[in-house]
Amino acid sequence: MKLNLLKNALAQTVLMTGLVMLGLSGCITPAQEKSVASGGKAELLWLGQAGFRIKSPQGKTIVIDPWLSGGPKTPAAIKADFSALGKIDLLLVTHGHVDHLGDAPALAKLNNTVLYGPADMVTPLITLGLIPANLGHRFNKTGNVKPLPGIKVTAVAAEHSSLIVFNNPATGKPESHPAGEAMGYIVELENGFKIWHMGDTGLFGDMKFIFDRYKPDLVLIPIGGNFTMDPEDAAYAMKNWIPAKQVIPMHYNSNPLTKGTLAEFEAAMKGSTSKVVPMTEGQTLTF
């Protein structure tokens, strides 16, 4: 009995020590408390543009918007061999534009992994023969799924459009196919840590509602402009509607039409309570 009490006391001491260390840099969130208890962390690799690979605290691999073969900033090893990503357990696509859908159909077939995306994007992928029916999961700008143990994905709105350009092998000509509506994702990991991948989006007032409802810890926000928010609009959203603890700018530096820069975003974010976490393509960070 005394031995059990001693073990319990020691375990509590270790847990509290971890919580104190986290508390040195600010308040402790429930997600951080769970992470200390489980010993796990999330790992994030920027693949370029809006593409990311997330490794969950329990070792699952999640890939979002993988524009790899055509992406000018794709890490060289991955561009040369998609298997360098590792076995993909969950594949998410926000909409049908080529710099987001990208190589997702090829990755779905390579890994025998279901491609999750907007209903009216997944259906054309199936009917055009780009993926088999069993590798497509249809949902929309609302709804959630629990595709892996301990992981929850919630679809949320984005202010954008969606289109698939399909090169028809019968005619040798490209075809344009409507692909539903664009969306973003709230990805909740096993330790409770939440990532909001906004996809491509302009400003819209329900950004505040989405933050208030789901309270993401980390936001991946487009800043390039032209197709999405520019740095000033992205900073406006963060400062007024989305006071998340950390934000990573994305969807810039890969297309001459998306001229927004990290420096412009950082300048516009002055006075914000959110910490800007800069990344370079191919870099990996842990959270």
Side-chain angles (χ1 to χ4, degrees), residues 16-89:
M16 290 309 298
T17 300
L19 295 177
V20 169
M21 291 303 292
L22 281 173
L24 292 176
S25 60
C27 60
I28 300 164
T29 67
Q32 288 171 323
E33 185 172 330
K34 290 179 186 177
S35 182
V36 171
S38 68
K41 288 187 177 181
E43 180 184 284
L44 192 71
L45 166 65
W46 190 17
L47 300 170
Q49 196 74 329
F52 288 87
R53 183 190 69 187
I54 302 167
K55 288 192 175 179
S56 79
Q58 299 302 319
K60 298 300 183 183
T61 297
I62 304 165
V63 170
I64 307 176
D65 285 359
W67 185 38
L68 305 178
S69 59
K73 300 292 184 175
T74 305
I78 293 172
K79 178 174 281 196
D81 182 2
F82 292 170
S83 66
L85 281 169
K87 175 68 173 71
I88 298 172
D89 301 294

Side-chain angles (χ1 to χ4, degrees), residues 191-207:
N191 61 357
F193 190 79
K194 294 179 184 178
I195 301 170
W196 180 5
H197 187 297
M198 299 185 81
D200 276 2
T201 188
L203 286 170
F204 63 101
D206 276 352
M207 287 177 171

Side-chain angles (χ1 to χ4, degrees), residues 30-237:
Q32 288 171 323
E33 185 172 330
K34 290 179 186 177
S35 182
V36 171
S38 68
K41 288 187 177 181
E43 180 184 284
L44 192 71
L45 166 65
W46 190 17
L47 300 170
Q49 196 74 329
F52 288 87
R53 183 190 69 187
I54 302 167
K55 288 192 175 179
S56 79
Q58 299 302 319
K60 298 300 183 183
T61 297
I62 304 165
V63 170
I64 307 176
D65 285 359
W67 185 38
L68 305 178
S69 59
K73 300 292 184 175
T74 305
I78 293 172
K79 178 174 281 196
D81 182 2
F82 292 170
S83 66
L85 281 169
K87 175 68 173 71
I88 298 172
D89 301 294
L90 177 60
L91 184 59
L92 303 172
V93 178
T94 60
H95 63 287
H97 292 154
V98 67
D99 57 326
H100 296 260
L101 176 61
D103 299 284
L107 291 174
K109 290 182 284 189
L110 177 66
N111 291 271
N112 195 34
T113 297
V114 174
L115 188 162
Y116 288 75
D120 293 345
M121 179 198 78
V122 172
T123 297
L125 291 177
I126 294 170
T127 57
L128 291 170
L130 296 176
I131 59 172
N134 66 306
L135 294 185
H137 180 95
R138 304 163 65 252
F139 61 165
N140 219 296
K141 293 169 74 172
T142 59
N144 62 73
V145 293
K146 295 179 179 178
L148 300 169
I151 292 176
K152 181 178 180 180
V153 178
T154 302
V156 294
E159 186 60 37
H160 198 62
S161 62
S162 184
L163 185 77
I164 295 172
V165 177
F166 169 66
N167 291 313
N168 190 327
T171 64
K173 296 180 180 179
E175 299 174 352
S176 297
H177 295 266
E181 294 189 58
M183 63 189 191
Y185 292 109
I186 306 289
V187 181
E188 182 174 354
L189 304 176
E190 299 99 337
N191 61 357
F193 190 79
K194 294 179 184 178
I195 301 170
W196 180 5
H197 187 297
M198 299 185 81
D200 276 2
T201 188
L203 286 170
F204 63 101
D206 276 352
M207 287 177 171
K208 181 181 186 305
F209 163 74
I210 293 169
F211 177 82
D212 289 344
R213 172 66 181 89
Y214 299 107
K215 295 180 173 56
D217 301 284
L218 172 66
V219 175
L220 311 179
I221 192 168
I223 68 163
N226 192 76
F227 303 107
T228 70
M229 292 179 288
D230 62 12
E232 290 75 21
D233 278 352
Y236 180 93

